């Protein structure tokens, strides 16, 4: 006890001595804490800081990516998988994987932005202190952020310059470094960074500055893009001031020198590198011109085929390779410009030469690939795709479907025998249709009576009264089924079997729908649904790649080959000197097709094909405010505009352009028995404008026809009173005269057509002197 008491006494004495010593010091000195107090306070602060850091590390989560960081555009490419059609979306960004970024570009970015990237743990305390000191000492604003921190700022946070954001950035960077590999972080950083020229991400930057894919960047180019990261807009040497250009080049040199220091580049290789001037800034690849129409067709296919839904597509990031062929697309645009637009004069004829619109589509029959479409003159000015619209009647281009249905299983109303291409019908204008669900007595063009005429001849002349009856004989329900099998959508207006007028083309499929149907004729009855996308993929920031399964394109048998080839054989006669598609003779190679003109001249069509390509062209006028259809009468100064005029001329110009220099292909036809003319071969040869027509020994005197010239007539100059071409499909009358009998001789010998080919040298019969003038599309197109 005594020892303990002595020890306590000594301690008390020491305290008292220290107190006396402090009292003896000056007042200001007594205010300073002792070293013991200071050490304790520092220890407490340190413990508090460590505790607070630990708590904040635990409670600050790694958030979801911000909307801007994940926003990407969709890139649409032509069929060559290289040429860009358009980019859609608010943010010009396309994510790539680390394997797509050249190692030299990766190393350049590390050298420029964070030379300790591969060693640090997400933050660099030395760098932060150094940056702070340089800023305080007037050496300029210094960043000090690592690549990980910049990635966190770009991808998870915002660009706000606040202490709170900077603090969260630090904690999230530490966590991200623990949770992700360095390659993942570097990929995310390069995909989320801004490089100037509205380019977000290294892929968009490669295109914006050098016009190449990121995988094709050279070392000097990659180093320049890395230099841009510090000041994207300021360091663009194509738009920078002389002073800023010097800074940009200095930054580029700093990057390369750092690569040498880090061992990524040898000094010798460094010395040989010269500055890689970027390309001039390019206008954004928007939806102007034809681009918007092509994008619309591709999007419509992706969604309608069930490959992808609309929200997923619009989310962006997709690289979409289409079937569109750029030379063919350009040729379609040129054909419309040269054959129609250049002929219009809105200033001279404002009431008729305005609001004229064209719809077109071109499809490969053997594959179903859509190689070109024409949806309008400029999507930026007319953002409605006419190639896809389903509100224009197709008129007489529906007659081949009537014929196909009849050949397939129809029987004539005259004697009940099977219908063939050589079956004869009464071609009297306004002859009432017998057996139809509603009264119908359609007139022929100009009211011309043809008397007894074969279905083959009636197709070439586009005789309404014949095909109205033939469609009923085939069975309107069967005609509708045939149209749907060929590719006409079953829900388009105007395909109601309860209306007899359906036979003459009241249906309203789009130009693309009609091209698909005619492609089935060209492909011997095998029908493909037209398709426009070959490849679809999307890269995520983490490196994962979405590659949706694309459908297999397998044709369905819409018609047996004999029937399809018989229709093609008949449609070849349409493109002859006496056919309504005479203007297409200028193509100079085997072709088949059909013109179409609707009631009141509200639309005009030509649908035709060669063995390798099917193309449709439609023409109409539409009030831009009310969207009401307006007559084509008066367009370009002509009293009427028919399918054999502008639509056929556009078709011919386009087909001649895209097939120029290719081998001439012939139709290899195997028409079913009874559906050929005498001595008709199974293949066709190119049209020969100089072929000489001969008169067969026998000819029916009841089916008048015009004499066939030995060559297509040249186009005369505009004459407003030029007679029209293809007879329009009139609206169904509410009442019709009582039915009259018809002269019908099935399987009668056909009058040979006048297609001027070496394979078919026969010519049309010479009409008797008293023959009435031929109605339908004229031998030559309307004067130009």
């Amino acid at each position: 006890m005594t020892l303990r008491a002595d020890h306590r006494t000594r301690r008390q004495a020491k305290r008292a001595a220290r107190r006396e010593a402090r009292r003896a010091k000056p007042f200001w000195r007594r205010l300073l804490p002792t070293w013991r107090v200071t050490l304790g306070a520092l220890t407490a602060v340190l413990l508090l800081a460590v505790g607070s850091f630990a708590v904040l590390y635990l409670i600050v989560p790694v958030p979801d990516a911000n909307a801007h960081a994940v926003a990407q555009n969709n890139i649409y490419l032509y069929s060559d998988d290289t040429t860009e059609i358009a980019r859609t979306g608010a943010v010009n960004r396309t994510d790539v994987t680390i394997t797509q970024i050249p190692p030299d570009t990766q190393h350049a970015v590390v050298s420029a932005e964070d030379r300790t990237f591969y060693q640090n743990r997400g933050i660099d305390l030395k760098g932060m202190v150094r940056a702070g000191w340089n800023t305080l000492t007037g050496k300029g604003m210094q960043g000090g952020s690592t690549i990980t921190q910049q990635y966190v700022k770009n991808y998870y946070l915002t660009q706000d310059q606040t202490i709170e954001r900077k603090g969260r950035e630090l904690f999230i960077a530490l966590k991200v470094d623990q949770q992700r590999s360095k390659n993942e972080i570097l990929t995310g950083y390069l995909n989320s960074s801004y490089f100037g020229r509205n380019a977000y991400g290294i892929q968009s930057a490669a295109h914006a500055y050098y016009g190449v894919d990121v995988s094709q960047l050279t070392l000097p180019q990659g180093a320049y893009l890395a230099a841009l990261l510090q000041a994207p807009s300021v360091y663009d040497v194509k738009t920078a001031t002389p002073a800023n250009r010097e800074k940009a080049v200095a930054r580029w040199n700093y990057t390369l020198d750092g690569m040498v220091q880090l061992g990524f580049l040898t000094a010798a290789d460094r010395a040989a590198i010269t500055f890689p001037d970027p390309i001039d800034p390019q206008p954004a690849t928007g939806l102007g011109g034809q681009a918007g129409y092509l994008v619309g067709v591709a999007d419509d296919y992706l969604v309608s085929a069930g490959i992808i839904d609309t929200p997923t597509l619009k989310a962006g990031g997709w690289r979409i390779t289409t079937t569109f062929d750029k030379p063919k697309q350009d040729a379609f645009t040129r054909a419309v410009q040269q054959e129609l637009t250049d002929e219009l004069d809105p200033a001279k004829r404002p009431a008729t030469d305005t609001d004229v619109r064209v719809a077109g589509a071109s499809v490969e029959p053997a594959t179903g690939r859509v190689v070109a479409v024409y949806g309008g003159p400029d999507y930026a000015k007319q953002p409605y795709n006419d190639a896809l619209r389903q509100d224009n009647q197709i008129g007489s281009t529906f007659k081949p479907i009537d014929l196909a249905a009849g050949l397939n299983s129809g029987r004539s109303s005259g004697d009940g025998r099977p219908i063939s291409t050589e079956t004869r019908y009464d071609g009297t204008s306004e002859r009432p249709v017998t057996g139809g669900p509603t009264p119908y007595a359609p007139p022929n063009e100009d009211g011309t009576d043809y008397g007894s005429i074969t279905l083959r001849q009636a197709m070439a002349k586009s005789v309404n009264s014949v095909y109205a009856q033939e469609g009923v004989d085939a069975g309107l329900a069967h005609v509708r089924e045939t149209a749907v099998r060929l590719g006409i959508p079953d829900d388009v207006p105007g395909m109601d079997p309860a209306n007899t007028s359906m036979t003459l083309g009241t249906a309203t499929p789009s130009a693309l729908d009609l091209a698909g149907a005619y492609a089935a004729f060209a492909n011997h009855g095998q029908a493909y649904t037209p398709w426009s996308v070959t490849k679809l993929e999307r890269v995520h920031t983490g490196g994962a790649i979405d590659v949706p399964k694309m459908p297999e394109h397998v044709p369905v048998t819409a018609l047996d080959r004999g029937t399809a080839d018989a229709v093609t054989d008949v449609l070849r006669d349409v493109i002859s000197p006496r056919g309504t598609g005479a203007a297409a003779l200028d193509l100079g190679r085997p072709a088949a097709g059909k013109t179409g003109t609707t009631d009141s001249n509200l639309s005009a069509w030509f649908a035709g094909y060669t063995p390798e390509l099917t193309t449709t062209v439609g023409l109409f006028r539409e009030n831009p405010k009310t969207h009401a259809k307006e007559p084509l009468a008066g367009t370009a100064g002509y009293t009427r505009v028919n399918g054999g005029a502008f639509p056929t001329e556009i078709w011919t110009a386009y087909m001649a352009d895209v097939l120029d220099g290719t081998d001439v292909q012939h139709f290899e036809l195997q028409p079913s028995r009874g559906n050929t003319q005498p001595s008709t071969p199974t293949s066709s040869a190119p049209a020969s404008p100089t072929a000489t027509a001969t008169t067969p020994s026998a000819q029916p005197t009841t089916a008048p026809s015009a004499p066939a010239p030995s060559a297509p007539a040249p186009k005369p100059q505009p004459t407003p009173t030029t007679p029209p071409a293809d007879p329009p499909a009139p609206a169904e009358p509410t009442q019709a005269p009582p039915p009259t009998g018809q002269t019908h001789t099935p399987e009668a010998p056909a009058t040979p057509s006048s297609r001027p080919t070496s394979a078919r040298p026969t010519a049309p019969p010479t009409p008797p002197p008293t023959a009435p003038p031929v109605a339908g599309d004229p031998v030559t197109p309307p004067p130009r």
Side-chain angles (χ1 to χ4, degrees):
M1 294 292 294
T2 303
L3 291 175
R4 190 178 303 156
D6 291 342
H7 182 67
R8 185 183 307 114
T9 301
R10 285 196 295 273
R11 281 188 301 173
Q12 291 174 347
K14 288 181 178 179
R15 287 196 199 97
R18 285 198 295 272
R19 284 196 294 271
E20 288 298 327
R22 287 185 63 80
R23 291 192 188 99
K25 292 180 179 179
F27 175 75
W28 63 269
R29 180 66 181 82
R30 293 200 303 270
L31 294 176
L32 296 176
T34 64
W35 67 269
R36 290 184 176 83
V37 173
T38 302
L39 182 60
L42 290 176
T43 301
V45 169
L46 181 61
L47 291 173
L48 180 63
V50 171
S52 299
F53 187 90
V55 170
L56 289 172
Y57 182 84
L58 293 174
I59 66 174
V60 175
V62 177
D64 293 332
N66 65 65
H68 188 273
V70 296
Q72 300 184 60
N73 54 16
N74 288 332
I75 299 177
Y76 296 79
L77 304 172
Y78 281 103
S79 57
D80 61 8
D81 202 27
T82 301
T83 308
E84 205 169 284
I85 298 173
R87 291 175 179 244
T88 63
V91 177
N92 180 25
R93 184 202 327 271
T94 304
D95 287 350
V96 293
T97 63
I98 193 67
T99 58
Q100 294 174 266
I101 305 172
D104 284 337
T105 299
Q106 299 176 39
H107 297 156
V109 170
V110 169
S111 173
E113 294 297 306
D114 181 7
R115 294 182 180 179
T116 66
F117 172 68
Y118 290 112
Q119 292 79 39
N120 65 48
R121 296 302 179 89
I123 62 174
D124 181 5
L125 294 177
K126 289 182 179 179
M128 294 171 67
V129 171
R130 182 174 60 254
W133 176 255
N134 288 338
T135 300
L136 290 174
T137 55
K139 296 183 179 180
M141 182 68 69
Q142 303 290 310
S145 294
T146 62
I147 283 177
T148 306
Q149 288 175 272
Q150 294 182 62
Y151 166 55
V152 166
K153 179 180 66 174
N154 294 341
Y155 193 74
Y156 297 107
L157 303 175
T158 67
Q159 304 298 315
D160 296 339
Q161 298 294 326
T162 64
I163 295 176
E164 185 270 340
R165 195 273 298 163
K166 193 68 177 177
R168 293 183 64 206
E169 174 190 301
L170 186 145
F171 287 106
I172 295 172
L174 289 170
K175 284 191 172 183
V176 167
D177 186 76
Q178 294 295 315
Q179 297 171 3
R180 296 193 175 184
S181 69
K182 292 293 185 181
N183 277 347
E184 289 177 316
I185 294 171
L186 184 59
T187 304
Y189 173 62
L190 288 175
N191 280 329
S192 60
S193 295
Y194 182 62
F195 289 82
R197 296 193 182 185
N198 196 37
Y200 290 86
I202 190 72
Q203 174 72 298
S204 295
H207 282 281
Y209 286 91
Y210 293 105
V212 299
D213 187 85
V214 63
S215 61
Q216 299 174 308
L217 286 173
T218 64
L219 190 158
Q221 292 170 346
Y224 176 63
L225 296 184
L228 283 170
L229 288 165
Q230 188 181 62
S233 299
V234 174
Y235 288 172
D236 185 344
V237 296
K238 288 295 184 179
T239 59
T241 63
N244 284 336
R245 178 183 171 85
E246 288 184 10
K247 292 179 181 179
V249 174
R251 182 69 177 176
W252 176 75
N253 283 316
Y254 165 82
T255 299
L256 292 173
D257 292 342
M259 293 180 70
V260 174
Q261 295 173 15
L262 294 172
F264 296 138
L265 182 65
T266 66
D269 289 340
R270 163 69 182 93
I273 295 174
T274 57
F275 185 76
D277 270 319
I279 62 176
D280 292 332
Q282 304 295 306
T285 310
L287 297 178
Q290 294 298 302
Y293 306 123
L294 302 183
V295 168
V297 172
D299 286 355
D300 181 74
Y301 167 70
L302 289 171
V303 174
S304 63
I307 300 169
I308 191 173
D309 59 41
T310 300
T312 304
L313 178 62
K314 298 304 181 184
W318 296 100
R319 179 184 173 92
I320 302 165
T321 303
T322 70
T323 59
F324 304 124
D325 182 279
K326 191 175 191 309
K328 289 182 174 66
Q329 186 61 45
D330 292 344
F332 217 144
T333 305
R334 281 195 303 272
V336 173
Q337 179 69 39
Q338 295 169 1
E339 300 299 323
L340 174 66
T341 309
D342 289 349
E343 301 295 321
L344 301 177
D345 191 344
K348 182 179 179 181
R349 295 180 290 271
T352 59
D353 282 18
T354 55
D355 310 321
V356 182
R357 299 169 73 154
V358 175
S362 193
V363 175
E364 290 180 350
T367 64
R369 291 166 57 100
V370 183
V371 296
V373 297
Y374 188 88
D378 185 347
Y379 189 82
K381 298 177 181 177
Q382 181 198 299
Y384 193 92
N385 197 337
D386 290 335
L388 297 179
R389 64 188 306 159
Q390 295 177 331
D391 61 352
N392 288 302
Q393 293 184 353
I394 59 172
S396 293
T397 57
F398 194 81
K399 287 174 182 173
I401 299 175
D402 292 327
L403 178 61
L407 298 179
N408 186 257
S409 62
R411 290 183 177 273
S412 70
S413 57
D415 58 11
R417 297 178 63 179
I419 295 173
S420 78
T421 61
E422 313 315 314
T423 299
R424 305 188 78 84
Y425 275 83
D426 183 355
T428 301
S429 182
E430 297 188 74
R431 175 197 172 279
V433 174
T434 61
T438 55
Y440 195 37
N444 296 328
E445 184 74 19
D446 294 329
T448 301
D449 294 328
Y450 289 90
S452 178
I453 186 171
T454 67
L455 288 175
R456 178 184 297 275
Q457 294 166 332
M459 186 71 76
K461 304 295 183 185
S462 202
V463 182
N464 285 335
S465 58
V466 168
Y467 275 94
Q469 183 65 60
E470 188 274 338
V472 169
D473 291 351
L476 294 180
H478 183 51
V479 171
R480 186 185 191 282
E481 292 169 1
T482 302
V484 172
R485 287 201 308 272
L486 285 166
I488 303 299
D490 61 2
D491 59 350
V492 298
M495 283 233 295
D496 185 358
N499 291 320
T500 309
S501 59
M502 184 190 83
T503 56
L504 297 187
T506 56
T508 61
S510 70
L512 185 56
D513 296 330
L514 189 60
Y518 270 65
F521 289 135
N523 198 33
H524 312 293
Q526 299 299 303
Y528 287 94
T529 299
W531 53 285
S532 54
V533 175
T534 61
K535 188 167 60 176
L536 178 69
E537 63 182 17
R538 176 172 64 178
V539 178
H540 293 279
T541 300
I545 302 177
D546 282 341
V547 184
K549 180 177 176 56
M550 302 298 289
E552 295 182 4
H553 303 287
V554 180
V556 298
T557 301
L559 299 170
D560 63 82
R561 176 163 186 165
T563 298
D565 285 0
V567 172
T568 294
D569 190 47
V570 169
L571 295 184
R572 290 191 298 166
D573 286 338
V574 175
I575 303 177
S576 70
R578 67 172 184 170
T580 58
L585 282 170
D586 288 346
L587 180 61
R589 61 172 67 210
K594 185 67 188 77
T595 55
T597 309
T598 60
D599 193 34
S600 300
N601 206 187
L602 294 181
S603 61
W605 290 84
F606 185 75
Y609 51 92
T610 60
E612 66 269 48
L613 193 61
T614 300
T615 302
T616 56
V617 179
L619 188 69
F620 63 99
R621 291 184 66 229
E622 180 177 282
N623 187 299
K625 295 182 179 179
T626 66
H627 300 290
K629 297 296 186 297
E630 299 176 337
L632 288 167
T635 300
Y638 303 124
T639 55
R640 289 182 293 191
V641 175
N642 300 279
F646 292 118
T648 304
E649 292 163 359
I650 293 170
W651 182 93
T652 305
Y654 163 73
M655 295 287 280
D657 194 342
V658 301
L659 297 178
D660 183 42
T662 65
D663 293 337
V664 174
Q665 296 190 26
H666 303 277
F667 290 112
E668 297 296 333
L669 302 181
Q670 300 175 17
S672 53
R673 186 175 180 180
N675 290 313
T676 59
Q677 297 187 81
S679 304
T680 299
T682 58
S683 64
S684 63
S688 173
T690 59
T692 303
T694 61
T695 303
S697 58
Q699 65 177 26
T701 59
T702 56
S705 60
S710 60
K715 297 179 181 179
Q717 293 303 310
T719 304
T721 58
T722 299
D726 189 69
E732 180 177 339
T734 56
Q735 293 183 339
T740 60
Q742 65 170 326
T743 302
H744 185 75
T745 308
E747 306 296 343
T751 301
S753 71
S754 59
R755 188 186 307 107
T757 69
S758 58
R760 304 184 69 176
T762 56
T766 303
T770 58
V774 176
D777 283 338
V779 170
T780 57
R784 297 286 296 276

